Amino acid sequence: MTDSSTYIGCAGWGVASGQATPFDPGGSVLQRYSTRFSAVEINSSFYRPHRRSTYERWADSVPEPFRFSVKVPRAITHQARLHDVQDLLRTFLGQTSGLGEKLGALLIQLPPSLAFDEAAATAFFQEVRTLTPVPVVCEPRHVSWFGDPADALLASYQIGRVADDPALRPVAAVPGGFEQTVYYRWHGSPRMYFSSYSDPALGDLAQRVREGPAAQGIWVIFDNTAAGAAVDNALTLINQLEPGR
């Protein structure tokens, strides 16, 4: 078993519907998924809102150690581009509060065109931290975010920077920002969303997880779901992290 503060899963639990073999029986796809994984990343929240009651139902259907990461809506990140989003944030956080203690993290994915603007970023992250104490990670996709000023700002608001694969530049492959929240997000390489990772690559990732900082939570999410590789990669990583491996 992995450490209780290490959360491994996929981007979405629909992967369990087409690959029934690895999972124990369950009344729903999410229940089956949660028999093998300790976490899931909800991406649908990026595109459309979900009712608080929906989040409550999801939380009630998984075991106690299970945790959800929820992607912040594109209305905040891509349309408003972080400006004047207090009402949008309040609405979103009110919905996700339905997860209760099973809300493990919030994922802020920024558009590739959004350059680092210290004043705008400060105002936004300050607002986030005023509204929620939940662990937060940011996935920037513009090169200007990968430097000491942005990392220092993220750390000051206790926000981790996602470690991506494939990485925009080498520093983007390692966690940054707040050291207590570590979040690996592997999208598939060389073909994003499709390619599977080799056992040696996953072994290297397992070593990085073992030797990383003593964080409050270490997340590894596989987003290479298009051809089903995420399930196999996540299960392999769990095996790699077994004691004695």
Side-chain angles (χ1 to χ4, degrees):
M1 296 291 290
T2 58
D3 185 88
S4 59
S5 62
T6 301
Y7 305 105
I8 299 173
C10 307
W13 58 81
V15 292
S17 62
Q19 294 174 277
T21 303
F23 303 97
D24 294 337
S28 69
V29 177
L30 175 56
Q31 287 174 323
R32 291 196 294 275
Y33 173 96
S34 68
T35 65
R36 297 304 305 273
F37 297 126
S38 57
V40 72
E41 183 184 274
I42 299 175
N43 274 217
S44 56
S45 54
F46 180 73
Y47 300 101
R48 63 185 185 278
H50 299 298
R51 296 177 180 176
R52 189 180 192 277
S53 59
T54 299
Y55 285 109
E56 289 174 344
R57 187 177 74 251
W58 290 339
D60 288 343
S61 67
V62 296
E64 175 50 39
F66 192 92
R67 292 295 179 265
F68 295 85
S69 170
V70 188
K71 194 172 182 180
V72 170
R74 60 181 174 180
I76 293 171
T77 56
H78 288 54
Q79 295 169 6
R81 298 174 71 85
L82 312 185
H83 293 283
D84 301 320
V85 294
Q86 183 183 66
D87 290 344
L88 291 171
L89 274 171
R90 285 185 183 277
T91 298
F92 171 67
L93 293 172
Q95 295 161 352
T96 59
S97 67
L99 292 172
E101 293 184 357
K102 291 175 183 174
L103 174 57
L106 298 173
L107 168 66
I108 300 168
Q109 184 192 63
L110 301 180
S113 61
L114 189 63
F116 177 63
D117 178 320
E118 185 170 2
T122 297
F124 173 70
F125 292 128
Q126 187 174 53
E127 190 65 51
V128 169
R129 275 292 166 241
T130 298
L131 295 173
T132 181
V134 171
V136 178
V137 292
C138 181
E139 184 181 33
R141 293 183 293 166
H142 189 281
V143 293
S144 59
W145 282 84
F146 301 102
D148 291 342
D151 264 355
L153 178 64
L154 291 169
S156 70
Y157 288 101
Q158 298 187 355
I159 294 172
R161 175 170 53 73
V162 170
D164 272 317
D165 189 275
L168 187 62
R169 56 194 312 177
V171 70
V174 298
F178 185 51
E179 291 187 353
Q180 289 296 305
T181 303
V182 175
Y183 200 105
Y184 291 92
R185 198 163 191 254
W186 280 29
H187 300 279
S189 180
R191 188 183 181 194
M192 288 185 69
Y193 312 123
F194 285 88
S195 293
S196 182
Y197 290 98
S198 66
D199 285 357
L202 294 168
D204 179 66
L205 176 57
Q207 191 70 10
R208 290 162 65 182
V209 170
R210 287 194 203 96
E211 296 178 353
Q216 294 172 350
I218 299 176
W219 289 72
V220 183
I221 296 293
F222 290 93
D223 189 30
N224 51 342
T225 58
V231 168
D232 290 339
N233 288 171
L235 291 174
T236 298
L237 179 64
I238 290 170
N239 289 334
Q240 294 273 14
L241 287 168
E242 289 286 347
R245 291 297 296 269

